[in-house]
Amino acid sequence: TQRPNSQTNTRRFTLTGPSATGAPCTARRTAPRRQAARRYSESLSEVPGVRVPETPTGAVHGWFVYVIRVPAAARARVLRALDREGIQAKPYLSLLHLQPFMKRRFGFKRGDFPVAEQAMKETIALPFFPGISHAAIKKVSSAVKGALT
């Protein structure tokens, strides 16, 4: 059998995983996403009906997606408003317990996890990527605000 090249594996680990201390590599790679998340939160935190994501003190968020919560009755209206502006946004949070396999295997049914089911009705994943511009975030935020006020 062929032994893995330790230099290649080390290099790959350094690029895709944490550095020896964990922080510098991760912080550098997530900085643009953290900045975008901060801008979204600043733009949306005062909009009535919008709940922005929170990161507990001492925790580090990976920010692979930016998800807001809006009242369930308003979610379709917000999604339509975003679509009218040419902004791609999607409902977020698929419920695993309602997937056919989970229902068959474990007997789960609607109502077994009411908090998760309510969250599913309220979540929207907004456009989010490391290079998203401040202007794009403002446009998305404005459309969300317009739909809710």
Side-chain angles (χ1 to χ4, degrees):
T1 61
Q2 193 175 24
R3 293 181 53 134
N5 179 325
S6 63
Q7 186 178 21
T8 303
N9 288 344
T10 302
R11 188 176 307 121
R12 187 175 300 134
F13 178 77
T14 302
L15 293 175
T16 61
S19 65
T21 62
C25 181
T26 303
R28 183 175 58 252
R29 291 175 55 218
T30 61
R33 291 181 296 197
R34 283 184 284 119
Q35 182 181 29
R38 186 173 51 254
R39 285 183 173 161
Y40 262 131
S41 293
E42 289 168 358
S43 296
L44 293 168
S45 63
E46 300 300 319
V47 177
V50 174
R51 289 175 50 194
V52 299
E54 296 179 13
T55 304
T57 304
V60 177
H61 198 299
W63 293 114
F64 73 95
V65 66
Y66 190 88
V67 177
I68 60 170
R69 288 180 74 169
V70 298
R75 183 172 79 166
R77 184 172 68 243
V78 172
L79 287 167
R80 281 193 305 274
L82 291 164
D83 186 56
R84 277 193 304 273
E85 295 294 322
I87 299 167
Q88 292 184 355
K90 297 190 181 284
Y92 193 71
L93 193 61
S94 175
L95 297 176
L96 292 177
H97 73 284
L98 297 180
Q99 299 301 314
F101 171 79
M102 299 298 275
K103 290 166 71 173
R104 277 192 315 273
R105 177 74 167 92
F106 300 105
F108 292 135
K109 62 189 177 309
R110 188 167 299 283
D112 283 346
F113 299 93
V115 174
E117 291 172 26
Q118 184 62 35
M120 180 198 70
K121 297 173 188 175
E122 300 174 347
T123 55
I124 299 174
L126 299 178
F128 190 74
F129 50 93
I132 191 168
S133 70
H134 189 59
I137 290 171
K138 282 182 164 181
K139 181 179 179 179
V140 172
S141 300
S142 178
V144 170
K145 183 178 182 178
L148 291 172
T149 55

